[in-house]
Amino acid sequence: MAGQGLPTDITSCSEAVPPTLQELQANQANLLQICQYCKAAYANPGSELQVFEETKNYTHDALVRVAYQVYTTGVHLANFLQVQSNELDRLDLEIRSISSRLNACHAITGTSSFIDRNALKLSAHSKDAMHVRRLEREELDGSTEPPARFDRQPHQLMLRFAEL
């Protein structure tokens, strides 16, 4: 459709549809005037055959005009919907691209780009303000005896040639 000289942006498309609808409505008023003329002319005696031929020609021309205007309106509406669909596809692609970039940023940094920095500061302060309670001996394992002391022994890091 775009190859037929139709607009390809949304604003031009939205400006092209209302005039075609107005032409269609104006054609309805013209058809009513033609019907009234034919009715009045047919009421005169002696010219029925001539009035019938004129009515037939007027009706044919009016139907052709209405069909053309309906077709033109339909083409403009279809083009408008196609342009909107293309715009939605473009926006969807942009949103997916931004989402992919945010996911990559999150994967690299381990944080979300939408985290409020003030909220992070508050949470850090709240961790510092937390009171750590020391467990009593009875709460640990039920026995009151202290555990055996663990003495560290240094490791022998030097290898002796005889051991190899």
Side-chain angles (χ1 to χ4, degrees), residues 1-4 6-10 12-14 16-18 20-21 69-87:
M1 280 191 213
Q4 299 176 354
L6 295 173
T8 57
D9 61 311
I10 290 182
S12 298
C13 287
S14 63
V17 172
T20 58
L21 290 174
Q69 288 174 344
V70 167
Y71 170 76
T72 303
T73 303
V75 166
H76 283 292
L77 283 172
N79 183 50
F80 182 61
L81 293 174
Q82 183 64 43
V83 168
Q84 283 183 335
S85 175
N86 292 344
E87 185 69 16

Side-chain angles (χ1 to χ4, degrees), residues 135-148:
L135 296 176
E136 298 295 328
R137 287 188 185 194
E138 295 83 26
E139 294 176 338
L140 289 174
D141 60 1
S143 68
T144 56
E145 297 178 13

Side-chain angles (χ1 to χ4, degrees), residues 44-124:
N44 293 335
S47 62
E48 290 90 10
L49 187 59
Q50 180 185 0
V51 171
F52 175 74
E53 288 298 320
E54 286 178 358
T55 304
K56 187 170 88 172
N57 290 336
Y58 287 150
T59 306
H60 179 265
D61 291 342
L63 285 175
V64 168
R65 191 174 306 120
V66 167
Y68 175 74
Q69 288 174 344
V70 167
Y71 170 76
T72 303
T73 303
V75 166
H76 283 292
L77 283 172
N79 183 50
F80 182 61
L81 293 174
Q82 183 64 43
V83 168
Q84 283 183 335
S85 175
N86 292 344
E87 185 69 16
L88 286 174
D89 289 342
R90 186 187 66 76
L91 288 173
D92 179 51
L93 185 62
E94 283 184 25
I95 289 170
R96 287 177 190 242
S97 173
I98 291 170
S99 176
S100 175
R101 288 179 185 173
L102 283 174
N103 287 339
C105 178
H106 178 68
I108 291 171
T109 63
T111 61
S112 175
S113 297
F114 294 116
I115 291 178
D116 185 17
R117 300 298 176 210
N118 293 331
L120 284 177
K121 290 177 186 174
L122 288 176
S123 67

